[in-house]
Amino acid sequence: IVKSKKVLLEGVTFKNSPSWCLHPLSCESLILNDVKVFNPWYSQNGDALDVESCKNVLIANCFFDAGDDAICLKSGKDEDGRRRGEPCENVIVRNNTVLHGHGGFVIGSEMSGGVKNVYVSECSFIGTDVGLRFKSARGRGGVVENIYINNINMIDIPNDALIADLYYAAKSAPGEPIPSVSEETPAFRNIYISDVFCRGAGRAAYLNGLPEMPIENISIKNMVVTGAKEGIVVNQVAKLNIENVEIDTPDQSMIQIENTTDIT
């Protein structure tokens, strides 16, 4: 569905798409209510919903069983996305359930036009590889900002309950030269996460920014993770607030913080 206004998808079921299932692009005033997607858990790139460069969006009361990202916000890839310059903005995601998939709620990695003003609440993720997932890489550019997430429940997350990784599909090598900031540098800032409950996780949280562009101003409040194999790992963050967070893990370090400033 491309460049359309006042779009309503309600009470419909989609199954077994060969790639992304639902992909509204450059739409305005988009509502998905009581929509179901069933894709095999093993379907690579079998995303349930990719909302790309859309404005004024409501995603509510939906059920997604996917082989890749479930609820994902995007805005174009690299130079093409920057040239189009259409952010995904003013999005409400409420009361949705996700099974399997690579992420319950995801932003990126193709976010070169920006993503802003997003509110996510009352969602449940069951057996997704990752729960809350923010991903990007050098070359993308774009700004992700003003993201508010609360009241999230997760069960049996094999990897990270929460991850924000700006080295998506790449590795950080010790001693590598740090590039200067340019239009190709992605920026993630002003992310507020609260009231998150997870039973069973590989790692509670992983925040990994770029040395030339740390993740800026991220708050994690009232988060409980039980049965986690590892605790919290933080690298390259500027302004981090962690408040009333409980992690049940045998990991002796519990929380590892490197290259991070302004920590509360």
Side-chain angles (χ1 to χ4, degrees), residues 203-230:
R203 181 166 49 189
Y206 180 58
L207 309 177
N208 188 32
L210 297 170
E212 71 273 21
M213 184 64 74
I215 298 168
E216 183 180 356
N217 189 24
I218 183 166
S219 173
I220 305 170
K221 184 177 180 181
N222 301 337
M223 181 175 181
V224 177
V225 182
T226 62
K229 294 179 182 177
E230 298 180 55

mmCIF file of all heavy atoms in Angstrom, residues 203-230:
data_model
loop_
_atom_site.group_PDB
_atom_site.id
_atom_site.type_symbol
_atom_site.label_atom_id
_atom_site.label_comp_id
_atom_site.label_asym_id
_atom_site.label_seq_id
_atom_site.Cartn_x
_atom_site.Cartn_y
_atom_site.Cartn_z
ATOM 1 N N ARG A 203 20.023 -12.500 27.519
ATOM 2 C CA ARG A 203 20.653 -11.342 28.151
ATOM 3 C C ARG A 203 19.585 -10.307 28.426
ATOM 4 O O ARG A 203 18.669 -10.114 27.626
ATOM 5 C CB ARG A 203 21.746 -10.781 27.243
ATOM 6 C CG ARG A 203 22.505 -9.593 27.795
ATOM 7 C CD ARG A 203 23.775 -9.304 27.003
ATOM 8 N NE ARG A 203 23.548 -9.256 25.563
ATOM 9 C CZ ARG A 203 24.524 -9.188 24.658
ATOM 10 N NH1 ARG A 203 25.795 -9.166 25.046
ATOM 11 N NH2 ARG A 203 24.246 -9.134 23.372
ATOM 12 N N ALA A 204 19.692 -9.617 29.526
ATOM 13 C CA ALA A 204 18.644 -8.662 29.904
ATOM 14 C C ALA A 204 18.626 -7.463 28.955
ATOM 15 O O ALA A 204 17.562 -7.072 28.463
ATOM 16 C CB ALA A 204 18.842 -8.198 31.341
ATOM 17 N N ALA A 205 19.794 -6.874 28.701
ATOM 18 C CA ALA A 205 19.832 -5.687 27.842
ATOM 19 C C ALA A 205 21.224 -5.501 27.271
ATOM 20 O O ALA A 205 22.235 -5.793 27.931
ATOM 21 C CB ALA A 205 19.415 -4.442 28.611
ATOM 22 N N TYR A 206 21.270 -4.984 26.036
ATOM 23 C CA TYR A 206 22.533 -4.705 25.354
ATOM 24 C C TYR A 206 22.395 -3.381 24.621
ATOM 25 O O TYR A 206 21.563 -3.230 23.728
ATOM 26 C CB TYR A 206 22.856 -5.824 24.371
ATOM 27 C CG TYR A 206 24.148 -5.646 23.603
ATOM 28 C CD1 TYR A 206 25.365 -5.507 24.266
ATOM 29 C CD2 TYR A 206 24.151 -5.649 22.212
ATOM 30 C CE1 TYR A 206 26.552 -5.362 23.560
ATOM 31 C CE2 TYR A 206 25.332 -5.505 21.491
ATOM 32 C CZ TYR A 206 26.533 -5.365 22.176
ATOM 33 O OH TYR A 206 27.706 -5.233 21.481
ATOM 34 N N LEU A 207 23.191 -2.397 25.021
ATOM 35 C CA LEU A 207 23.181 -1.077 24.390
ATOM 36 C C LEU A 207 24.572 -0.835 23.811
ATOM 37 O O LEU A 207 25.558 -0.818 24.553
ATOM 38 C CB LEU A 207 22.840 0.010 25.416
ATOM 39 C CG LEU A 207 21.579 -0.217 26.267
ATOM 40 C CD1 LEU A 207 21.430 0.917 27.277
ATOM 41 C CD2 LEU A 207 20.344 -0.336 25.389
ATOM 42 N N ASN A 208 24.654 -0.639 22.502
ATOM 43 C CA ASN A 208 25.947 -0.540 21.843
ATOM 44 C C ASN A 208 25.905 0.560 20.785
ATOM 45 O O ASN A 208 25.421 0.362 19.678
ATOM 46 C CB ASN A 208 26.292 -1.892 21.204
ATOM 47 C CG ASN A 208 27.706 -1.931 20.656
ATOM 48 O OD1 ASN A 208 28.609 -1.296 21.190
ATOM 49 N ND2 ASN A 208 27.895 -2.684 19.584
ATOM 50 N N GLY A 209 26.388 1.743 21.152
ATOM 51 C CA GLY A 209 26.401 2.862 20.227
ATOM 52 C C GLY A 209 27.692 2.928 19.424
ATOM 53 O O GLY A 209 28.552 2.053 19.516
ATOM 54 N N LEU A 210 27.816 3.967 18.616
ATOM 55 C CA LEU A 210 29.033 4.206 17.854
ATOM 56 C C LEU A 210 29.933 5.168 18.623
ATOM 57 O O LEU A 210 29.435 6.098 19.273
ATOM 58 C CB LEU A 210 28.693 4.819 16.492
ATOM 59 C CG LEU A 210 27.862 3.958 15.536
ATOM 60 C CD1 LEU A 210 27.413 4.793 14.345
ATOM 61 C CD2 LEU A 210 28.644 2.745 15.063
ATOM 62 N N PRO A 211 31.241 5.012 18.558
ATOM 63 C CA PRO A 211 32.113 5.957 19.275
ATOM 64 C C PRO A 211 31.947 7.384 18.779
ATOM 65 O O PRO A 211 32.060 8.335 19.560
ATOM 66 C CB PRO A 211 33.526 5.411 19.012
ATOM 67 C CG PRO A 211 33.387 4.460 17.885
ATOM 68 C CD PRO A 211 31.998 3.935 17.920
ATOM 69 N N GLU A 212 31.680 7.561 17.474
ATOM 70 C CA GLU A 212 31.472 8.913 16.947
ATOM 71 C C GLU A 212 30.047 9.407 17.156
ATOM 72 O O GLU A 212 29.771 10.602 16.986
ATOM 73 C CB GLU A 212 31.824 8.965 15.452
ATOM 74 C CG GLU A 212 30.855 8.234 14.526
ATOM 75 C CD GLU A 212 31.168 6.759 14.334
ATOM 76 O OE1 GLU A 212 31.873 6.180 15.187
ATOM 77 O OE2 GLU A 212 30.720 6.193 13.320
ATOM 78 N N MET A 213 29.124 8.505 17.521
ATOM 79 C CA MET A 213 27.730 8.895 17.761
ATOM 80 C C MET A 213 27.123 7.937 18.787
ATOM 81 O O MET A 213 26.426 6.994 18.439
ATOM 82 C CB MET A 213 26.918 8.878 16.464
ATOM 83 C CG MET A 213 25.485 9.373 16.618
ATOM 84 S SD MET A 213 25.352 11.098 17.107
ATOM 85 C CE MET A 213 25.805 11.909 15.561
ATOM 86 N N PRO A 214 27.405 8.173 20.078
ATOM 87 C CA PRO A 214 26.828 7.306 21.101
ATOM 88 C C PRO A 214 25.295 7.397 21.107
ATOM 89 O O PRO A 214 24.711 8.389 20.657
ATOM 90 C CB PRO A 214 27.404 7.873 22.411
ATOM 91 C CG PRO A 214 28.608 8.656 22.006
ATOM 92 C CD PRO A 214 28.293 9.199 20.648
ATOM 93 N N ILE A 215 24.661 6.356 21.593
ATOM 94 C CA ILE A 215 23.227 6.426 21.870
ATOM 95 C C ILE A 215 23.043 7.475 22.965
ATOM 96 O O ILE A 215 23.702 7.420 23.999
ATOM 97 C CB ILE A 215 22.695 5.061 22.310
ATOM 98 C CG1 ILE A 215 22.888 4.040 21.197
ATOM 99 C CG2 ILE A 215 21.222 5.149 22.696
ATOM 100 C CD1 ILE A 215 22.657 2.600 21.633
ATOM 101 N N GLU A 216 22.142 8.418 22.754
ATOM 102 C CA GLU A 216 22.052 9.573 23.647
ATOM 103 C C GLU A 216 20.720 9.618 24.395
ATOM 104 O O GLU A 216 19.653 9.551 23.795
ATOM 105 C CB GLU A 216 22.220 10.871 22.848
ATOM 106 C CG GLU A 216 22.219 12.129 23.702
ATOM 107 C CD GLU A 216 22.387 13.390 22.882
ATOM 108 O OE1 GLU A 216 22.588 13.288 21.663
ATOM 109 O OE2 GLU A 216 22.306 14.480 23.467
ATOM 110 N N ASN A 217 20.816 9.710 25.698
ATOM 111 C CA ASN A 217 19.657 9.889 26.564
ATOM 112 C C ASN A 217 18.687 8.713 26.467
ATOM 113 O O ASN A 217 17.631 8.802 25.829
ATOM 114 C CB ASN A 217 18.924 11.204 26.253
ATOM 115 C CG ASN A 217 17.847 11.509 27.295
ATOM 116 O OD1 ASN A 217 17.918 11.037 28.437
ATOM 117 N ND2 ASN A 217 16.848 12.276 26.908
ATOM 118 N N ILE A 218 19.050 7.621 27.110
ATOM 119 C CA ILE A 218 18.189 6.455 27.175
ATOM 120 C C ILE A 218 17.884 6.155 28.642
ATOM 121 O O ILE A 218 18.761 6.200 29.501
ATOM 122 C CB ILE A 218 18.806 5.239 26.456
ATOM 123 C CG1 ILE A 218 17.852 4.046 26.475
ATOM 124 C CG2 ILE A 218 20.165 4.859 27.021
ATOM 125 C CD1 ILE A 218 18.224 2.937 25.519
ATOM 126 N N SER A 219 16.611 5.898 28.923
ATOM 127 C CA SER A 219 16.154 5.652 30.286
ATOM 128 C C SER A 219 15.468 4.291 30.363
ATOM 129 O O SER A 219 14.599 3.987 29.545
ATOM 130 C CB SER A 219 15.180 6.749 30.732
ATOM 131 O OG SER A 219 14.615 6.445 31.994
ATOM 132 N N ILE A 220 15.876 3.480 31.342
ATOM 133 C CA ILE A 220 15.255 2.184 31.587
ATOM 134 C C ILE A 220 14.771 2.182 33.032
ATOM 135 O O ILE A 220 15.572 2.282 33.960
ATOM 136 C CB ILE A 220 16.244 1.030 31.355
ATOM 137 C CG1 ILE A 220 16.845 1.102 29.950
ATOM 138 C CG2 ILE A 220 15.568 -0.321 31.577
ATOM 139 C CD1 ILE A 220 17.995 0.140 29.719
ATOM 140 N N LYS A 221 13.472 2.084 33.198
ATOM 141 C CA LYS A 221 12.872 2.233 34.527
ATOM 142 C C LYS A 221 11.860 1.116 34.778
ATOM 143 O O LYS A 221 11.088 0.758 33.893
ATOM 144 C CB LYS A 221 12.179 3.608 34.619
ATOM 145 C CG LYS A 221 11.589 3.938 35.966
ATOM 146 C CD LYS A 221 10.998 5.354 35.929
ATOM 147 C CE LYS A 221 10.384 5.718 37.278
ATOM 148 N NZ LYS A 221 9.793 7.080 37.247
ATOM 149 N N ASN A 222 11.893 0.561 35.991
ATOM 150 C CA ASN A 222 10.935 -0.478 36.385
ATOM 151 C C ASN A 222 10.972 -1.664 35.417
ATOM 152 O O ASN A 222 9.991 -2.021 34.781
ATOM 153 C CB ASN A 222 9.504 0.072 36.456
ATOM 154 C CG ASN A 222 9.350 1.218 37.431
ATOM 155 O OD1 ASN A 222 10.147 1.351 38.365
ATOM 156 N ND2 ASN A 222 8.359 2.051 37.216
ATOM 157 N N MET A 223 12.140 -2.272 35.303
ATOM 158 C CA MET A 223 12.311 -3.442 34.442
ATOM 159 C C MET A 223 12.702 -4.630 35.296
ATOM 160 O O MET A 223 13.593 -4.539 36.143
ATOM 161 C CB MET A 223 13.391 -3.166 33.388
ATOM 162 C CG MET A 223 13.633 -4.319 32.431
ATOM 163 S SD MET A 223 14.819 -3.851 31.119
ATOM 164 C CE MET A 223 14.890 -5.361 30.160
ATOM 165 N N VAL A 224 12.027 -5.753 35.085
ATOM 166 C CA VAL A 224 12.317 -6.986 35.813
ATOM 167 C C VAL A 224 12.571 -8.096 34.804
ATOM 168 O O VAL A 224 11.736 -8.355 33.935
ATOM 169 C CB VAL A 224 11.146 -7.387 36.741
ATOM 170 C CG1 VAL A 224 11.448 -8.713 37.432
ATOM 171 C CG2 VAL A 224 10.873 -6.297 37.771
ATOM 172 N N VAL A 225 13.731 -8.722 34.893
ATOM 173 C CA VAL A 225 14.065 -9.857 34.027
ATOM 174 C C VAL A 225 14.468 -11.024 34.920
ATOM 175 O O VAL A 225 15.443 -10.929 35.676
ATOM 176 C CB VAL A 225 15.205 -9.518 33.051
ATOM 177 C CG1 VAL A 225 15.486 -10.709 32.136
ATOM 178 C CG2 VAL A 225 14.867 -8.284 32.228
ATOM 179 N N THR A 226 13.727 -12.111 34.856
ATOM 180 C CA THR A 226 14.045 -13.306 35.635
ATOM 181 C C THR A 226 14.569 -14.387 34.707
ATOM 182 O O THR A 226 14.205 -14.450 33.523
ATOM 183 C CB THR A 226 12.811 -13.825 36.387
ATOM 184 O OG1 THR A 226 11.797 -14.202 35.444
ATOM 185 C CG2 THR A 226 12.255 -12.761 37.315
ATOM 186 N N GLY A 227 15.439 -15.223 35.234
ATOM 187 C CA GLY A 227 15.973 -16.318 34.439
ATOM 188 C C GLY A 227 16.834 -15.859 33.279
ATOM 189 O O GLY A 227 16.845 -16.490 32.218
ATOM 190 N N ALA A 228 17.580 -14.774 33.468
ATOM 191 C CA ALA A 228 18.473 -14.274 32.414
ATOM 192 C C ALA A 228 19.843 -14.932 32.554
ATOM 193 O O ALA A 228 20.373 -15.051 33.659
ATOM 194 C CB ALA A 228 18.609 -12.765 32.502
ATOM 195 N N LYS A 229 20.431 -15.337 31.433
ATOM 196 C CA LYS A 229 21.768 -15.924 31.473
ATOM 197 C C LYS A 229 22.831 -14.854 31.697
ATOM 198 O O LYS A 229 23.869 -15.125 32.274
ATOM 199 C CB LYS A 229 22.035 -16.684 30.174
ATOM 200 C CG LYS A 229 21.149 -17.904 29.992
ATOM 201 C CD LYS A 229 21.431 -18.604 28.679
ATOM 202 C CE LYS A 229 20.488 -19.799 28.485
ATOM 203 N NZ LYS A 229 20.706 -20.458 27.167
ATOM 204 N N GLU A 230 22.578 -13.640 31.192
ATOM 205 C CA GLU A 230 23.498 -12.522 31.376
ATOM 206 C C GLU A 230 22.716 -11.287 31.805
ATOM 207 O O GLU A 230 21.503 -11.209 31.622
ATOM 208 C CB GLU A 230 24.257 -12.213 30.082
ATOM 209 C CG GLU A 230 25.139 -13.330 29.574
ATOM 210 C CD GLU A 230 25.850 -12.932 28.298
ATOM 211 O OE1 GLU A 230 26.546 -11.885 28.296
ATOM 212 O OE2 GLU A 230 25.705 -13.647 27.291
#
